[in-house]
Amino acid sequence: MSFITVNNVSKIYEAGNKVYALENVSLTVDEGEFVAIMGPSGSGKSTLLSILGVLNPPTTGTVIVDDINVFDLSNEKQADFRREYLGFVFQQFQLIPYLTAVENVMLPLAVTPMSKKDKFLQAEKALEKVGLGQKLHRLPHQLSGGEQGRVAIARAIVNQPPIILADEPTGSLDSATGLEIIQLFKELNKGGHTILMVTHNVENRKHVQRTIFIRDGKIVS
Amino acid sequence: MGLWDIAVNNLKRRKGKALLIIIGIALGIATVVALFSLITAMNDKVNKDLERLGTKVVLIPQTEKMSLSYGGIVVAQDVAFDIKPMPENVLSLLEANAQELNIEYILQKNVQVVDVNGRLNLLVGMNINNEFAVKPWLKVKGSFAGEEKQIILGSTIARQMAKGPGDTVLINNQELVISGILEETGQEEDNIILVPLALFEKLAGDNRPTLIEIYLTSNADVGNNLNKLRALLPDVKVITTKEMMEARKEVIERFENFAILVSVIVFVILVLIVVTTMLGAVNERTKEIGVFRAFGFRKKDIIHVISLEAALACTLGGLLGYILGIFTAKGVAPMLDYELSIGWNPVLGILMLILAIMIGLIASWFPANKAAELDPQEALRYL
Ligand SMILES: Nc1ncnc2c1ncn2[C@@H]1O[C@H](COP(=O)(O)OP(=O)(O)OP(=O)(O)O)[C@@H](O)[C@H]1O
Ligand SMILES: [Mg+2]
């Protein structure tokens, strides 16, 4: 049994006229894989990632992670699942503007029963891992795009989730900075994290083990 | 870092967003605090005056059938003319025991229903100089015609008869010149005709007191003295009234009702302000809430953060409002006629903080739940 199994997943959005965002998508991902998801705009990449992230229930089909049928879980249990299994890196990183770098990184620990000090130490460690140990107390707008990306990655790994989901993490960065971020993902992957990354950049293909292509909601290869 | 830190940092680092809530709550609470501080001060003042002026006691005959009212008591039943006079020895007994009973003033009142220009009215004989000394708020338009000839009409009677000082009236078929009109008091004096005791005897043919008002000295133990009075005068009804203060208390009470009404309106307006502001904030923070959800916040954690923010902003507003309200009351107090002293009332302060927190929690209930129900995918889709 694979670590992640997506089974015949379809997603139909019914805002006005029906949009078939995903149609009968099946795929498996093994533990420790680094997978890129590519495809034209509107093909359903983000939809697939949000379904893998348990943020968006599929219309039909199942998603099984570590033998857990995630959409069978109650809403609250899904939240617990996300906290335990998943780390997100969003496009434009979505740092909370009124929290400092280290506070942003502590965010996934906010509802974990743990002393403030331990939370801080764990966040500090994650920031050191991404090479940002010196700028703990900067607010997001006081950081460069690349640094914001590092904070976002630190935030995704702070509670040591086995899976990292990244939606176009390099989309807003110049190619050099983007490459640094990809290198960081490669290191994390070596450290044992399973990573699924949506990307537009064909260059990134050479850094990943496998690329899934989507077009019109279907996997084409 | 926990939910608390998120709420605090949001308020601290995005001051503008909470400002409307804080200012709104501060102004609203300040209004309520100022009103209630003034009311408290007025009440204190009245109670102090009550102590200073002593207590008024009214003695009337033991009689059942009475209806026209004077002196806080009912004097004649459906214009029953037969008003029983007091026992003969009451005045002398009172005078003999004045010291022991802590009596400061004894005011004899003779009351009878008389025919005035063909209408029935209440004629009250009294020592007019003493009456005016004890009740400094009584004011007369017109001239003093000398102790014996004075006839003073209550304002309502004067208005009904369209008479003024210098006009004549027929009382029990005797023509008399009105010497003055009482300014409106809003009390029973408006409905009587005041004459000196000697004139009363001439007009009514009776000089026995119908009722006696007694003023006790301010240091008197009222309950004890009343008991002594009742023992001394078993045939007399002993009633205390604090009519002047009560009238003032009534004004304060009306003011208090007004303040309660204002508070309720303020409360509703504040809830509405906080609801709209918070709803706006929640809409603005859709993505942020999606991020929270993605990182494992449960719905109740989202509700927690939003209500915490509202409660914190409202607490701050409440605190500012309390301070502002007390200073406002201190500023306004001298403009009112009373020598009011406004104090820092900690009970009021705590009540206002509770009120502010309640406003925060009630008003954020809907926005917080709305935030919790946001679809996290929807929140993050335009990334
Ligand atoms: N919440 C939604 N409601 C309605 N339609 C949606 C919703 N989310 C996505 N869609 C539609 O589903 C389709 C797939 O969207 P999705 O965001 O998954 O594409 P994408 O591959 O991530 O595109 P891009 O590269 O531009 O980010 C699109 O046609 C989009 O308009
Ligand atoms: Mg997308």
Side-chain angles (χ1 to χ4, degrees):
Chain A
M1 186 97 195
S2 301
F3 190 44
I4 302 171
T5 307
V6 175
N7 219 334
N8 259 321
V9 160
S10 295
K11 179 72 192 187
I12 303 167
Y13 291 113
E14 307 220 34
N17 44 350
K18 287 188 179 180
V19 178
Y20 292 82
L22 291 177
E23 279 185 75
N24 292 320
V25 169
S26 296
L27 64 95
T28 59
V29 179
D30 287 329
E31 196 157 10
E33 265 196 290
F34 188 178
V35 179
I37 301 169
M38 298 190 76
S41 185
S43 56
K45 305 181 297 292
S46 295
T47 302
L48 178 60
L49 210 65
S50 67
I51 288 174
L52 287 166
V54 205
L55 295 169
N56 188 13
T59 311
T60 58
T62 54
V63 175
I64 293 163
V65 179
D66 200 14
D67 287 338
I68 301 165
N69 189 342
V70 292
F71 287 103
D72 274 358
L73 299 174
S74 70
N75 200 300
E76 306 292 75
K77 283 277 190 300
Q78 285 180 359
D80 296 341
F81 174 86
R82 286 195 290 269
R83 210 165 53 246
E84 199 177 329
Y85 278 86
L86 306 174
F88 292 87
V89 180
F90 300 106
Q91 195 176 3
Q92 274 140 37
F93 311 126
Q94 303 300 327
L95 299 180
I96 306 299
Y98 53 85
L99 297 178
T100 61
V102 69
E103 285 165 349
N104 260 289
V105 176
M106 283 192 279
L107 196 67
L109 306 174
V111 291
T112 346
M114 209 174 160
S115 78
K116 264 187 184 185
K117 199 170 170 227
D118 286 347
K119 287 180 187 178
F120 185 86
L121 290 175
Q122 203 164 318
E124 200 181 26
K125 221 169 71 189
L127 277 165
E128 272 163 14
K129 217 170 183 175
V130 300
L132 256 185
Q134 304 307 311
K135 295 179 174 174
L136 301 183
H137 300 294
R138 299 264 188 106
L139 287 168
H141 70 87
Q142 299 166 324
L143 295 169
S144 72
E147 287 168 338
Q148 289 183 20
R150 287 164 193 274
V151 175
I153 292 169
R155 183 173 66 178
I157 60 171
V158 71
N159 50 351
Q160 290 145 349
I163 301 165
I164 296 172
L165 302 172
D167 196 351
E168 301 192 34
T170 59
S172 60
L173 302 175
D174 61 66
S175 51
T177 323
L179 193 60
E180 282 172 34
I181 296 291
I182 297 294
Q183 295 296 350
L184 206 52
F185 275 117
K186 276 171 86 172
E187 268 170 54
L188 293 172
N189 178 240
K190 276 198 200 105
H193 293 282
T194 305
I195 302 176
L196 285 99
M197 176 178 72
V198 170
T199 180
H200 268 127
N201 191 342
V202 199
E203 287 292 299
N204 290 337
R205 283 190 69 187
K206 61 179 180 243
H207 300 288
V208 300
Q209 292 149 16
R210 179 152 66 106
T211 303
I212 295 169
F213 281 97
I214 302 185
R215 179 168 292 132
D216 295 333
K218 296 181 197 107
I219 293 185
V220 288
S221 75
Chain B
M1 200 191 70
L3 301 179
W4 172 268
D5 304 85
I6 295 173
V8 170
N9 284 323
N10 181 29
L11 292 178
K12 223 166 55 186
R13 300 196 183 128
R14 289 207 295 207
K15 289 187 191 74
K17 307 280 170 195
L19 216 58
L20 183 63
I21 290 181
I22 294 172
I23 291 174
I25 296 276
L27 291 180
I29 297 280
T31 310
V32 175
V33 165
L35 283 175
F36 280 102
S37 297
L38 288 170
I39 288 167
T40 311
M42 285 177 192
N43 261 325
D44 288 352
K45 176 72 170 35
V46 168
N47 288 334
K48 232 183 270 163
D49 285 354
L50 213 52
E51 261 169 47
R52 197 174 63 208
L53 294 177
T55 308
K56 182 176 125 181
V57 179
V58 179
L59 307 183
I60 53 164
Q62 290 279 20
T63 278
E64 294 98 57
K65 281 208 270 169
M66 289 190 167
S67 170
L68 274 176
S69 157
Y70 175 68
I73 56 149
V74 178
V75 191
Q77 175 93 38
D78 294 339
V79 199
F81 303 92
D82 189 22
I83 298 169
K84 239 167 114 182
M86 297 281 254
E88 299 274 336
N89 59 347
V90 170
L91 271 174
S92 52
L93 269 173
L94 283 174
E95 264 150 29
N97 292 286
Q99 193 101 35
E100 209 213 313
L101 292 167
N102 289 317
I103 294 174
E104 200 159 23
Y105 286 102
I106 301 171
L107 299 182
Q108 173 185 354
K109 300 278 172 71
N110 300 2
V111 181
Q112 202 171 85
V113 178
V114 292
D115 181 303
V116 182
N117 283 5
R119 274 210 209 160
L120 295 174
N121 270 303
L122 215 50
L123 185 71
V124 182
M126 60 178 71
N127 182 320
I128 290 184
N129 287 342
N130 280 355
E131 182 80 7
F132 278 68
V134 172
K135 299 180 178 174
W137 61 93
L138 293 181
K139 294 203 173 63
V140 177
K141 278 179 288 192
S143 55
F144 279 89
E147 181 65 33
E148 289 91 83
K149 287 188 202 154
Q150 233 167 289
I151 297 180
I152 299 171
L153 262 55
S155 60
T156 307
I157 294 183
R159 203 177 328 112
Q160 279 169 358
M161 299 199 303
K163 298 279 184 193
D167 295 338
T168 55
V169 281
L170 272 178
I171 298 178
N172 282 357
N173 293 321
Q174 295 191 47
E175 196 173 61
L176 297 155
V177 181
I178 299 167
S179 51
I181 307 291
L182 267 186
E183 274 181 23
E184 188 156 348
T185 62
Q187 286 169 279
E188 50 215 352
E189 280 89 355
D190 292 347
N191 299 308
I192 60 167
I193 300 168
L194 284 70
V195 293
L197 286 167
L199 185 55
F200 182 91
E201 192 180 346
K202 236 191 269 169
L203 293 170
D206 196 344
N207 67 351
R208 288 169 304 170
T210 320
L211 64 95
I212 297 167
E213 285 177 15
I214 294 171
Y215 286 83
L216 301 182
T217 54
S218 55
N219 57 345
D221 170 355
V222 178
N224 189 17
N225 282 303
L226 283 179
N227 288 340
K228 280 194 211 161
L229 257 176
R230 290 193 173 110
L232 185 70
L233 308 167
D235 297 332
V236 172
K237 220 176 201 164
V238 179
I239 305 165
T240 68
T241 57
K242 299 168 177 176
E243 60 179 19
M244 183 187 97
M245 294 306 146
E246 242 126 55
R248 259 170 67 184
K249 274 196 164 162
E250 205 184 289
V251 173
I252 294 172
E253 241 162 61
R254 255 182 250 154
F255 190 31
E256 208 163 18
N257 289 338
F258 168 72
I260 289 168
L261 184 72
V262 169
S263 306
V264 170
I265 293 170
V266 163
F267 184 85
V268 171
I269 291 175
L270 290 183
V271 167
L272 289 178
I273 289 178
V274 179
V275 169
T276 21
T277 316
M278 294 300 293
L279 268 182
V282 164
N283 286 336
E284 255 172 58
R285 293 166 72 187
T286 304
K287 270 190 192 170
E288 190 180 313
I289 291 159
V291 171
F292 289 160
R293 299 278 279 137
F295 283 109
F297 282 45
R298 286 154 295 203
K299 284 185 180 181
K300 69 165 198 278
D301 300 323
I302 303 287
I303 293 175
H304 207 119
V305 172
I306 305 282
S307 2
L308 204 55
E309 284 179 12
L312 277 173
C314 289
T315 307
L316 196 61
L319 207 65
L320 284 176
Y322 174 65
I323 295 167
L324 190 66
I326 296 285
F327 279 117
T328 307
K330 280 180 190 285
V332 170
M335 295 177 207
L336 298 171
D337 208 20
Y338 304 100
E339 321 153 4
L340 301 173
S341 71
I342 307 288
W344 293 91
N345 181 345
V347 176
L348 187 65
I350 288 165
L351 273 176
M352 288 302 115
L353 278 188
I354 293 173
L355 180 75
I357 292 170
M358 265 175 52
I359 290 172
L361 292 181
I362 291 173
S364 63
W365 186 87
F366 177 62
N369 277 278
K370 197 186 164 203
E373 292 306 325
L374 283 174
D375 181 352
Q377 190 263 346
E378 184 76 10
L380 292 167
R381 67 176 285 227
Y382 302 105
L383 301 183

